[in-house]
């Protein structure tokens, strides 16, 4: 083996020493005696790619292979298998300090990252390859894409990633429980998106990079724009300057193009993963519902869910109602859930709030938009378990001022299915299945599974209408009653046929009974039509 080679370089007479690992190891003990501990630590940091990388690259001594953080040969070869050839640095599961260092934005005194976007992306176009999937989504923001155009865009996206200064690869999972997780490889050239995903995605069983088997692949390129020459050679009409997504449910691939909010990134991951989950786990359901546990359960130091005092609640709410409250009855421990007959688990490892004050820890992420008051604050969850007991109850929080939803009511499994499918969120607004992301699953299958999980598990279902109470404390009390199982009996009613009211003394009195009866009849007819249209 040639241990060293000395070559003269031009007139400078500078020597380039190519040294093998064996020679370095043999000389280490001799040289370290003459070096201070600070020198050794500095060199260690250099090798990790945090500081002074240029000195490492341009030094007189070069070690081969020159592996360091950002230069991983196994990762580079793996990316080559995706037609991505790193030009500079590539990181697998990068650490939080590095992502904070690479991110555009400012940090506050707590090292919370504040990232500002030029404008809030709205009406992001989603392209699908499947006509059936397309028909389930908003016609104004959903379009079909040909396979040839899809391949062309994907090629351009991978080229953009290849030419980037930094590439970030996250090998993680959607779902906190191994039994129902969907493994995902997320590839991006944007540090802020990488930081968000680092908080968002649960970890999974560690493997070598070339041995990581995953069902989902997501490419995220915020700064990428299709050139005019590309759009003229394609049959698909792409937005000229607006962001867009491509969702390939058959292959489990999603492409996120252009500057998008962290909320949109989360929605794309949810849409592609829910389809895979339903296809691979026939009895598991991905839900937008919050997992809500009692205060005693939340503060328990036990690592096992079986020791918790009370079973959690699954709560559907459209506007993040619970995230803005500090209730005595409990707290949200997961934004999104995976529910099956055997387990209840978190969908993600972070929660996004719409106010800033919640971000108090290092590496928390605040996302702002110029000209908008909207704020997305991403905070990692401090969890003690990856799975929970089966929920004792499902709760729909529906803020309705029309009078068609009483203050408090109970549903059977068939009635619960109707409200779940229709996604009625109050005041004549419907959000099917209570999801904001693209719908990529079979509606009938999802509806039946939801009903069966309730029926087979003996789960109670309730509706709370906060608009019927003057104080949020009354809603808190109801959640506490549901959590403890001390709920009053429901009553039959000739006004409502899709629910059974429960009397609450603190609720505001409804309007004229006859008027409410007419409104309720009209609403229930519309509700049934909404359900029928979705379950065809």
């Amino acid at each position: 083996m040639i241990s060293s080679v000395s070559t003269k370089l031009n007139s400078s007479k500078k020597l380039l020493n190519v040294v093998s690992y064996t020679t370095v190891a043999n000389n280490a003990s001799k040289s370290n005696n003459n070096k201070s501990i600070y020198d050794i630590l500095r060199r260690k940091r250099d090798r990790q790619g945090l500081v002074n990388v240029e000195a490492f690259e341009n030094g007189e001594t070069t070690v081969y292979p020159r592996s360091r953080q950002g230069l991983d040969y196994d990762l580079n070869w793996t990316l080559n298998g995706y037609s991505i050839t790193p030009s500079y640095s590539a990181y697998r599961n990068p650490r939080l300090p590095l992502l904070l260092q690479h991110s555009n934005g400012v940090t506050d005194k707590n090292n919370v990252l504040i990232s500002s976007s030029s404008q809030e992306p709205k009406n992001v176009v989603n392209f699908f390859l499947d006509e059936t999937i397309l028909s389930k989504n908003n016609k104004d923001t959903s379009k079909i894409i040909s396979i040839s155009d899809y391949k062309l865009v994907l090629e351009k996206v991978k080229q953009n990633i290849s030419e980037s200064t930094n590439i970030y690869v996250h090998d993680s999972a959607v779902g906190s429980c191994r039994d129902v997780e969907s493994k995902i490889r997320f590839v991006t050239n944007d540090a802020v998106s990488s930081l968000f995903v680092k908080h968002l995605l649960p970890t999974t069983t560690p493997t070598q990079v070339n041995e990581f088997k995953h069902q989902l692949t997501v490419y995220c390129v915020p700064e990428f724009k299709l050139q005019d020459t590309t759009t003229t050679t394609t049959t698909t009409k792409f937005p000229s300057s607006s962001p867009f997504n491509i969702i390939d449910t058959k292959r489990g691939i999603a492409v996120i193009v252009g500057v998008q909010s962290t909320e949109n990134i989360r929605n794309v991951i949810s849409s592609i993963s829910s389809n895979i989950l339903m296809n691979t786990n026939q009895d598991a359901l991905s839900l937008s519902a919050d997992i809500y546990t009692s205060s005693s359960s939340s503060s328990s130091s036990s690592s096992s869910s079986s020791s918790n005092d009370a079973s959690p609640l699954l709560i559907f709410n459209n506007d993040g109602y619970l995230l803005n409250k500090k209730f005595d009855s409990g707290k949200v421990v997961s934004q999104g859930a995976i529910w099956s007959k055997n387990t209840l688990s978190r969908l993600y490892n972070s929660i996004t709030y719409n106010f800033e004050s919640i971000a108090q820890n290092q590496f928390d992420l605040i996302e702002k938009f110029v000209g908008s008051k909207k704020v997305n604050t991403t905070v990692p969850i401090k969890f003690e378990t990856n799975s929970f007991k089966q929920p004792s109850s499902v709760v729909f929080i529906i803020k309705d001022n029309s009078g068609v939803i009483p203050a408090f009511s109970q549903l059977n499994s068939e009635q619960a299915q109707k409200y779940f499918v229709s996604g009625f969120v109050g005041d004549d607004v419907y959000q099917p299945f209570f999801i904001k992301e693209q719908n990529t699953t079979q509606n009938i299958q999802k509806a039946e599974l939801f009903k069966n999980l309730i029926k087979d598990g003996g789960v109670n279902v309730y509706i709370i209408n906060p608009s019927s109470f003057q104080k949020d404390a009354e809603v808190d009390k109801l959640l506490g009653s549901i959590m403890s199982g001390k709920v009053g009996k429901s009553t039959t009613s000739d006004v409502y046929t899709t629910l059974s009211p429960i009397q609450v003394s603190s609720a505001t009195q409804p309007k004229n009974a006859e008027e409410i009866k007419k409104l309720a009849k009209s609403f229930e007819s519309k509700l049934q039509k909404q359900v029928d249209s979705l379950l065809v």
Side-chain angles (χ1 to χ4, degrees), residues 337-355:
I338 297 179
W339 187 19
S340 71
K341 63 180 180 181
N342 297 319
T343 186
L344 175 67
S345 59
R346 294 188 312 278
L347 192 60
Y348 297 117
N349 269 5
S350 66
I351 294 177
T352 298
Y353 300 84
N354 59 10
F355 55 94

Side-chain angles (χ1 to χ4, degrees), residues 165-237:
T165 303
N166 295 302
I167 301 173
Y168 310 97
V169 179
H170 293 268
D171 288 343
S172 307
V174 178
S176 63
C177 182
R178 298 287 184 266
D179 293 340
V180 292
E181 70 175 8
S182 299
K183 293 183 179 179
I184 180 173
R185 173 162 282 165
F186 186 96
V187 184
T188 184
N189 52 11
D190 178 63
V192 176
S193 299
S194 182
L195 178 63
F196 170 70
V197 169
K198 181 79 172 179
H199 290 326
L200 182 73
L201 297 176
T203 57
T204 186
T205 305
T207 62
Q208 296 296 321
V209 63
N210 57 347
E211 296 175 354
F212 183 67
K213 307 298 181 184
H214 53 99
Q215 302 102 315
L216 305 170
T217 307
V218 178
Y219 302 97
C220 179
V221 284
E223 300 301 324
F224 174 70
K225 292 182 180 179
L226 284 175
Q227 300 297 323
D228 293 338
T229 54
T230 303
T231 56
T232 57
T233 58
T234 59
T235 57
T236 305
K237 185 177 181 181

Side-chain angles (χ1 to χ4, degrees), residues 9 106 131 141 175 226 245 258 305 315 337-338 346 363 393 443 455 479 504 529:
L9 296 178
V106 297
E131 291 277 5
T141 58
L226 284 175
N245 306 310
S305 62
I315 302 183
I338 297 179
R346 294 188 312 278
F363 310 124
S393 301
N443 290 351
K455 190 174 182 179
L479 290 174
V504 181
K529 288 181 180 179

